[in-house]
Amino acid sequence: MRRKGELSPAEVDRRWPHQVAVEIPPGHGLGIVPATGPLSSLAPRGHEVAYDGKRYRVFCFSDPDQAARFKDIMGGLDFDHRDRGRGAHWGTWYPGRGAARDAKRSRS
């Protein structure tokens, strides 16, 4: 449930389209990542998804260069918001779903 004034997932996807998924080690968290200096384009909120029995924290950037540097440093993976589940499965990651949907549309 979203609270008044809170960024919606759709707003985050629009304003911070360059997203990186970082695996969360079992039994651990990733801590706090400051959104200053080299990470100044980091969104004020991200989200978590699950794929293949693993949990991932998704960090969202407005600057593609900062996203690429963050991905290299953290060993992350590119995340396409269209690969996120819908409804009750919102927290599930389906890698490649967005690209497959684009390919299907281009063939039509």
Side-chain angles (χ1 to χ4, degrees):
M1 181 175 179
R2 198 166 62 87
R3 294 175 292 278
K4 184 177 180 178
E6 186 176 62
L7 289 168
S8 70
E11 180 72 11
V12 171
D13 292 341
R14 275 191 301 274
R15 292 176 53 189
W16 294 274
H18 309 285
Q19 301 182 8
V20 177
V22 178
E23 184 179 346
I24 301 171
H28 293 86
L30 290 175
I32 296 173
V33 177
T36 59
L39 298 178
S40 59
S41 78
L42 182 64
R45 67 177 283 206
H47 56 90
E48 289 186 12
V49 292
Y51 170 68
D52 199 25
K54 298 176 184 170
R55 290 184 326 139
Y56 294 85
R57 176 80 177 144
V58 178
F59 295 89
C60 309
F61 295 86
S62 60
D63 180 349
D65 295 331
Q66 286 186 13
R69 279 185 276 157
F70 183 79
K71 182 177 87 169
D72 291 342
I73 291 168
M74 297 297 289
L77 303 167
D78 287 325
F79 181 83
D80 185 337
H81 66 87
R82 298 169 304 168
D83 295 343
R84 188 173 45 232
R86 303 285 183 258
H89 300 284
W90 192 88
T92 305
W93 184 12
Y94 301 98
R97 176 196 266 180
R101 192 177 303 136
D102 287 346
K104 184 177 178 182
R105 285 182 184 155
S106 68
R107 282 183 269 154
S108 303

